[in-house]
Amino acid sequence: LDDTTLAQMNIFAKKVATAIKEAIPCQRVGMMVVGMEVPHAHIHLIPINKESDMILSNQRQKLEKAEFETIAKNIRELI
């Protein structure tokens, strides 16, 4: 990525992370840039309470579709 695009992605990720922290009970929002298996750049923002919550092979919390939609709506409203 060129410097401007990378900087803009990080600035936007910070806004989204702030909204996630407000919408989801967590101590922090971890940021991870991974994804060799996909041909595009993206940033993972993960609500965490401890460092080991950042391990992507951990079992993920299961939520109903309606719960995801409510969380997404709350995050959108906070950005």
Side-chain angles (χ1 to χ4, degrees):
L1 297 174
D2 62 86
D3 290 348
T4 300
T5 301
L6 180 60
Q8 290 172 341
M9 283 180 66
N10 278 286
I11 290 167
F12 183 69
K14 181 179 177 182
K15 291 176 186 177
V16 175
T18 300
I20 289 171
K21 189 166 187 305
E22 196 168 326
I24 298 173
C26 62
Q27 289 187 8
R28 297 179 182 191
V29 176
M31 182 172 109
M32 185 182 299
V33 179
V34 296
M36 295 296 292
E37 70 283 354
V38 294
H40 63 267
H42 62 278
I43 297 172
H44 295 261
L45 298 172
I46 305 168
I48 63 172
N49 291 310
K50 57 190 181 304
E51 188 175 333
S52 62
D53 292 341
M54 292 290 292
I55 300 171
L56 294 179
S57 60
N58 286 346
Q59 184 172 355
R60 296 179 185 191
Q61 185 176 4
K62 295 184 185 203
L63 300 174
E64 297 295 322
K65 181 180 178 185
E67 291 173 291
F68 274 118
E69 289 172 350
T70 298
I71 292 169
K73 178 180 177 283
N74 292 340
I75 291 168
R76 279 192 308 273
E77 290 174 355
L78 291 165
I79 294 176

